[in-house]
């Protein structure tokens, strides 16, 4: 292992000393590229080796260039100050970004100006670029990769979205620290922060594994839940001064506290974030830090829990949003706004909503088709600044807003003409904003359900149909006028009952049949196990939660329990799971539930009805174990597992020999015990990478010659591939020195 470490150190030393590339060939794509914080662009879908481009950077901002996700060629990235490859080298990266043969540079600008990024093709052995054993090549034709460029911030306001259906590989931030203001809970320090947020679209627990393949010490803190991202960064409360940095590793009962749901300051390269009972519509904000301030890769993925975060917040984008403002209609003193919205990566459920600040809106139900034309009518003409916002209900951060000036009032018949807008119907428990125009002061009646009855646009929250009257007064003339608006409430799902069929002996034949009344069909069903049908069939025993939506997207939720009829559950543990030929004894521990009878098949032709047997295997091999349990009702369950008996293994590789025919240490020979001779390959190279000896015979020795001549005194590199069993290969590297 020391030899392997020495070789790895040598390779990385060569990369750091000689690995930089300067093979600038073609300025492609041309021009200079810029991004704002939180923005990511594709520079080009086809960048060749030797291509370089210019980028505008701002002091203090962290930038990421990456070719991750490509299969074109083994890339190497080099970053220079100024325009071209003649400036000071700022950063380089080859296969250190956590994405195979591709690369990623994470760099924090310490000046404002222009930099040049060069993409090279690695042409050396062992994946090296440049230097003694490698080179930096140019490519052309169809051999190309996709290059992206983005800027990330170090504050909560710069938080980037993520979802739980995907495993994420992010370059770690370096050279920065978190903002002051939030209460950071267990994080006694907050170096090199990266902020993320997620939007829950499926209820349940969410357990996320956070780790660094490079071994960097990562820490995190998670805040939530929040109803909206607006203002959430000003509500990051936990404890102003957490004594001894309590975290979910040393004290798992400490959190949640304040808005902190989980926090860890453990000195490890992996952590687990626990969010329990997440609800649809909740936002969570996550801060991950890089304690060691070293380049590396951050990976996080959901490993358990039935909850899920919407991927639409990551993929959804409003590509284009345009409006046309109509003229005022004197008969109604209203106007309309029409337009087109173009989008991509949209959610597959929910609604697309286009709404004017006056409250009028149009909605479109999933599935969505881009582009979508729309027209909003009945907007009161007032000559004031308005805005139109477009957003997806199940990806609320995917939105866009256009501001415009409404046409002036054109109702000259009655200068004191109060309008209250069209009648509206809402879902139970929801709120709606009322709007009145045509006067200077307003009074709404009744005041029940209004947040403020003395303004033009109060928010109404009602549970039954309510008629509101608004009285408006024009200050200059003293004239008054009244208007009415009716807020109706859908009678949604007044009855939800269920016929439940339990399981039979633990088999998946349970079902739930819902009986729904109220609202406006057709209905949409969202079950906690991911189902969307009624009835829900072929399910295991347990608790199931369902949310039912009608055609107006009004919703009601219920939970139902499917019982289980007497089925046992088989489970066992083998101690040890891997034994050796000198002690091939394995104990099998019954960990089943609900069983009274046991039956074992040990995979070597022998059996047992003892629930906790101890078995001695006949020799080396892999054995498939079957364990079956039954109860007194005749219900049975089986499970399978593998155990292994391995041969003893040793391996010795000399570091030097002297082929001078003096009868002492004249040959280089690999010695070992337990090595499979059918899977053996030894190759030896000189310092220029030329193969000087190779054998697949475990018993063949090398006499230090190449083409019949003894090689000069020097150190040579070997690569050994061997196996201790047929389906597992082991590669090891080192050096062997010839001494005369």
């Amino acid at each position: 292992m020391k030899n392997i470490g020495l070789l790895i150190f040598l390779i990385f030393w060569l990369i750091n000393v000689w690995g930089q590339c300067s093979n600038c060939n073609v300025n492609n794509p041309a021009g200079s590229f810029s991004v704002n914080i939180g923005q990511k662009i594709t520079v080009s879908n086809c960048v060749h080796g030797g291509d370089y481009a210019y980028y505008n950077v701002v002091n203090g901002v962290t930038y990421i260039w990456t070719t991750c996700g490509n299969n074109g060629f083994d890339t190497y990235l080099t970053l220079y100050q100024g325009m071209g490859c003649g400036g000071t080298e700022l950063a380089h990266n080859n296969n250190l970004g956590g994405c195979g043969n591709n690369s990623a540079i994470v760099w924090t600008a310490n000046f404002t100006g222009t930099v040049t990024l060069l993409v090279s093709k690695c042409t050396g052995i062992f994946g090296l670029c440049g230097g003694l054993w490698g080179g930096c090549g140019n490519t052309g034709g169809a051999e190309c990769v996709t290059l992206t460029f983005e800027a990330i911030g170090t504050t909560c306001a710069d938080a980037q979205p993520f979802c739980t259906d995907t495993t994420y590989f992010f370059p770690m931030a370096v050279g920065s620290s978190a903002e002051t203001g939030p209460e950071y809970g267990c994080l006694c320090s907050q170096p090199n922060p990266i902020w993320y947020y997620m939007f829950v679209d499926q209820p349940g627990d969410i357990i996320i594994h956070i780790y660094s393949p490079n071994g960097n010490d990562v820490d995190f803190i998670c805040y939530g839940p929040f109803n909206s991202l607006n203002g959430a960064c000003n509500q990051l409360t936990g404890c102003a001064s957490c004594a001894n940095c309590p975290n979910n590793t040393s004290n798992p009962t400490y959190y949640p506290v304040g808005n902190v749901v989980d926090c860890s300051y453990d000195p490890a390269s992996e952590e687990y974030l626990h969010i329990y009972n997440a609800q649809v519509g909740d936002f969570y904000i996550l801060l991950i830090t890089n304690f060691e301030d070293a380049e590396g890769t951050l990976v996080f993925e959901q490993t358990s829990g039935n909850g899920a975060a919407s991927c639409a917040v990551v993929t959804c984008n409003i590509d284009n949003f345009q409006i046309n403002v109509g003229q005022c209609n004197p008969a109604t003193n209203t106007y309309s706004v029409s337009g087109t919205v173009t989008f991509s990566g949209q959610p597959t459920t929910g609604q697309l909503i286009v709404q004017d600040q006056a409250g009028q809106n149009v909605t479109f139900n999933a599935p969505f088709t881009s582009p979508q034309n729309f027209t909003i009518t009945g907007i009161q003409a007032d000559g004031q600044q308005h805005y139109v916002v477009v957003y997806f209900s199940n990806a609320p951060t995917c939105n866009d807003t256009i501001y415009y000036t409404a046409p002036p009032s054109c109702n000259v018949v009655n200068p004191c003409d109060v309008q209250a807008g069209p009648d509206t119907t809402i879902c139970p428990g929801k709120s709606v904003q009322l709007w009145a125009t045509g006067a200077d002061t307003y009074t709404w009646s009744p005041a029940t359900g209004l947040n403020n009855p003395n303004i033009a646009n109060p928010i109404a929250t009602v549970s039954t149909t309510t008629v509101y009257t608004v009285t408006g007064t024009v200050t200059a003339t003293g004239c008054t006028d009244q208007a009415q608006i009716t807020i109706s409430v859908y009678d949604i799902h007044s009855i939800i009952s269920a016929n439940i069929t339990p399981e039979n002996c633990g088999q998946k034949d349970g079902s739930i049949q819902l009986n729904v009344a109220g609202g406006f069909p057709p209905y949409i069903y969202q079950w906690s196990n991911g189902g969307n049908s009624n009835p829900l069939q072929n399910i295991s025993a347990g608790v199931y939660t369902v949310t039912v939506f009608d055609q107006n997207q009004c919703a009601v939720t219920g939970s139902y329990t499917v019982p289980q009829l007497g089925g046992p559950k088989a489970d066992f543990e083998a101690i040890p799971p891997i034994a050796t030929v000198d002690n091939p004894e394995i104990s099998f521990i019954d960990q089943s539930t609900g069983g009274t009878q046991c039956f074992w098949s040990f995979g070597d032709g022998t059996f047992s009805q003892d629930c906790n047997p101890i078995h001695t295997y006949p020799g080396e091999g892999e054995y498939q174990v079957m364990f079956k349990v039954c109860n007194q009702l005749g219900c049975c369950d089986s499970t399978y597992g593998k155990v292994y008996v391995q041969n003893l293994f040793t391996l010795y590789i000399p570091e030097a020999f002297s082929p001078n025919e003096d009868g002492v240490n004249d040959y280089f020979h690999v010695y070992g015990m337990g090595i499979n001779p059918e899977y053996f390959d030894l190759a030896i190279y000189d310092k220029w990478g030329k193969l000087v000896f190779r054998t697949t015979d475990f018993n063949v020795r090398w006499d230090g010659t190449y083409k019949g001549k003894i090689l000069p005194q020097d150190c040579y590199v070997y690569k050994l591939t061997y196996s201790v069993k047929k389906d597992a290969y082991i590669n090891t590297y080192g050096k062997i020195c010839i001494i005369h």
Side-chain angles (χ1 to χ4, degrees):
M1 293 301 294
K2 292 182 179 179
N3 294 334
I4 296 174
L6 178 61
L7 177 60
I8 294 174
F9 172 81
L10 176 62
I11 291 174
F12 282 117
W13 180 75
L14 289 171
I15 292 174
N16 289 329
V17 174
W18 291 314
Q20 300 88 335
C21 296
S22 58
N23 56 308
C24 285
N25 184 36
V26 178
N27 179 204
N28 176 48
S32 297
F33 295 89
S34 301
V35 290
N36 297 319
I37 292 178
Q39 182 184 10
K40 180 178 181 179
I41 65 172
T42 297
V43 178
S44 174
N45 289 318
C46 188
V47 176
H48 305 91
D51 287 358
Y52 61 95
Y54 307 130
Y55 303 86
N56 299 317
V57 297
V58 177
N59 187 27
V61 177
T62 299
Y63 296 93
I64 301 175
W65 292 266
T66 178
T67 60
C68 291
N70 285 271
N71 296 316
F73 55 87
D74 185 356
T75 62
Y76 189 101
L77 305 181
T78 311
L79 187 68
Y80 297 96
Q81 184 171 355
M83 301 181 71
C85 298
T88 301
E89 181 184 313
L90 303 172
H92 62 269
N93 179 258
N94 174 34
N95 302 350
L96 301 178
C99 52
N101 286 333
N102 295 294
S103 309
I105 285 181
V106 183
W107 175 73
T108 301
N110 54 11
F111 63 91
T112 297
T114 302
V115 296
T116 298
L117 181 82
L118 167 65
V119 178
S120 303
K121 177 181 180 180
C122 291
T123 59
I125 65 172
F126 304 122
L128 299 181
C129 287
L132 184 61
W133 288 347
C136 301
N138 301 331
T139 66
E143 192 174 25
C144 57
V145 294
T146 297
L147 175 66
T148 62
F149 174 46
E150 65 179 304
I152 59 175
T154 59
T155 68
C156 174
D158 303 323
Q160 301 298 304
F162 76 95
C163 65
T164 54
D165 287 348
T166 304
T167 299
Y168 286 86
F169 294 82
F170 291 99
M172 285 185 170
V174 294
S176 59
S177 58
E179 63 189 310
T180 58
E183 294 176 359
Y184 289 108
C186 76
L187 299 186
C188 291
S189 63
Q190 310 91 42
N192 311 304
I194 300 183
W195 294 81
Y196 302 96
Y197 74 88
M198 66 178 179
F199 173 73
V200 178
D201 66 350
Q202 181 173 315
D205 298 342
I206 300 176
I207 312 301
I208 295 177
H209 185 200
I210 305 170
Y211 63 97
S212 166
N214 309 85
N216 290 10
D217 178 0
V218 295
D219 304 297
F220 76 91
I221 185 170
C222 183
Y223 305 87
F226 303 102
N227 295 327
S228 170
L229 288 179
N230 294 332
C233 289
N234 297 323
Q235 305 175 41
L236 305 185
T237 60
C239 49
S241 178
C242 292
N244 300 322
C245 302
N247 61 70
N248 68 2
T249 301
S250 62
N251 188 349
T253 63
Y254 186 84
Y255 294 100
V257 57
N259 284 332
V260 179
V261 297
D262 205 356
C263 183
S264 180
Y265 196 62
D266 187 71
S269 61
E270 65 172 1
E271 305 283 359
Y272 283 90
L273 163 62
H274 305 80
I275 300 176
Y276 297 112
N277 196 28
Q279 299 297 310
V280 174
D282 288 345
F283 284 91
Y284 287 87
I285 296 176
L286 172 64
L287 167 63
I288 304 177
T289 64
N290 175 14
F291 183 84
E292 294 178 1
D293 195 27
E295 291 186 354
T297 303
L298 176 66
V299 183
F300 54 99
E301 59 185 344
Q302 182 174 1
T303 55
S304 61
N306 295 324
S310 169
C311 284
V313 299
V314 179
T315 61
C316 182
N317 187 56
I318 303 297
D319 299 318
N320 192 19
F321 184 32
Q322 298 178 345
I323 66 169
N324 296 309
V325 181
Q327 296 181 345
C328 177
N329 182 353
T332 60
N333 197 42
T334 63
Y335 66 98
S336 64
V337 173
S338 60
T340 302
V341 57
T342 304
F343 45 83
S344 58
Q346 66 272 16
T348 58
T349 59
Q351 293 180 314
L352 171 65
I353 302 171
V354 186
Q355 179 172 319
D356 187 85
Q357 78 172 52
Q360 284 82 347
N361 65 74
V362 291
T363 61
F364 305 93
N365 295 327
F368 309 109
T369 301
S370 177
Q372 177 66 60
N373 298 323
F374 63 88
T375 300
I376 305 175
T377 61
I379 309 173
Q380 289 292 313
D382 56 11
Q384 303 299 311
Q385 186 183 62
H386 283 228
Y387 62 82
V388 177
V389 61
V390 58
Y391 65 95
F392 289 92
S393 62
N394 283 10
T397 56
C398 183
N399 61 70
D400 199 1
T401 303
I402 296 179
Y403 291 87
Y404 70 95
T405 300
S409 174
C410 59
N411 187 344
V412 297
V413 176
N414 182 2
C416 186
D417 182 18
V418 174
Q419 300 290 328
D423 296 340
T424 303
T425 304
I426 62 174
C427 299
K430 301 297 182 181
S431 300
V432 63
Q433 190 163 31
L434 308 181
W435 294 90
T437 60
D440 299 317
T441 61
Y442 303 90
T443 302
W444 293 84
S445 178
T448 304
L450 301 181
N451 66 328
N452 187 344
N454 298 312
I455 60 176
N457 54 345
I459 295 176
T461 304
V462 296
S463 58
T464 60
T465 298
T466 304
V467 179
Y468 287 102
T469 299
V470 59
T471 301
T473 301
V474 177
T475 304
T477 63
C479 76
T480 62
D481 192 21
Q482 290 185 333
Q484 287 186 335
I485 182 174
T486 300
I487 307 301
S488 302
V489 179
Y490 288 120
D491 179 21
I492 172 64
H493 312 313
S494 56
I495 300 175
I496 295 186
S497 61
N499 300 321
I500 300 174
T501 302
E503 286 190 323
N504 179 21
C505 271
Q507 303 302 313
K508 290 187 176 181
D509 60 356
S511 65
I512 303 175
Q513 170 73 59
L514 290 182
N515 306 306
V516 182
F520 296 87
Y523 303 116
I524 298 175
Y525 305 88
Q526 291 186 357
W527 293 89
S528 55
N529 71 336
N532 58 7
S533 63
N534 181 28
L536 185 66
Q537 297 176 313
N538 298 321
I539 53 177
S540 304
V543 179
Y544 295 83
T545 300
V546 61
T547 301
V548 182
F549 299 86
D550 73 350
Q551 67 174 357
N552 299 302
Q553 291 299 299
C554 295
V556 67
T557 299
S559 294
Y560 306 93
T561 301
V562 177
Q564 178 172 301
L565 295 181
K569 180 64 176 178
D571 193 16
F572 73 92
E573 181 181 10
I575 303 176
I578 302 176
T580 58
V581 293
D582 62 330
N583 185 19
E585 184 179 272
I586 298 179
S587 299
F588 294 92
I589 310 301
D590 175 14
Q591 294 185 336
S592 61
T593 57
T596 57
Q597 295 177 320
C598 302
F599 179 82
W600 295 87
S601 173
F602 297 113
D604 60 354
T606 61
F607 309 89
S608 174
Q609 294 184 3
D610 186 354
C611 286
N612 295 281
I614 298 175
H615 184 66
T616 301
Y617 280 93
E620 179 184 9
E622 175 186 289
Y623 299 92
Q624 175 83 6
V625 179
M626 188 278 290
F627 178 43
K628 180 179 180 180
V629 293
C630 300
N631 64 10
Q632 65 272 22
L633 301 177
C635 296
C636 300
D637 186 41
S638 300
T639 187
Y640 297 84
K642 290 183 179 181
V643 296
Y644 304 86
V645 177
Q646 293 184 351
N647 202 349
L648 297 177
F649 168 74
T650 60
L651 179 66
Y652 172 70
I653 303 175
E655 294 185 347
F657 72 111
S658 57
N660 53 11
E661 299 182 354
D662 62 354
V664 178
N665 199 22
D666 286 334
Y667 298 94
F668 172 66
H669 190 193
V670 176
Y671 300 89
M673 182 174 167
I675 297 175
N676 188 343
E678 296 180 3
Y679 296 87
F680 180 85
D681 188 352
L682 173 65
I684 301 177
Y685 303 86
D686 66 12
K687 62 184 178 181
W688 292 280
K690 181 173 67 178
L691 179 68
V692 298
F693 176 75
R694 185 171 188 175
T695 181
T696 58
D697 188 341
F698 177 71
N699 297 310
V700 171
R701 304 177 299 176
W702 183 40
D703 59 3
T705 65
Y706 176 68
K707 292 184 177 181
K709 295 183 178 181
I710 296 180
L711 293 174
Q713 178 170 304
D714 205 341
C715 290
Y716 299 79
V717 176
Y718 68 81
K719 175 185 177 183
L720 173 61
T721 301
Y722 65 95
S723 175
V724 296
K725 56 182 180 178
K726 291 185 178 181
D727 58 351
Y729 294 93
I730 302 172
N731 291 315
T732 185
Y733 304 86
K735 68 176 182 179
I736 174 66
C737 297
I738 292 178
I739 301 174
H740 292 316

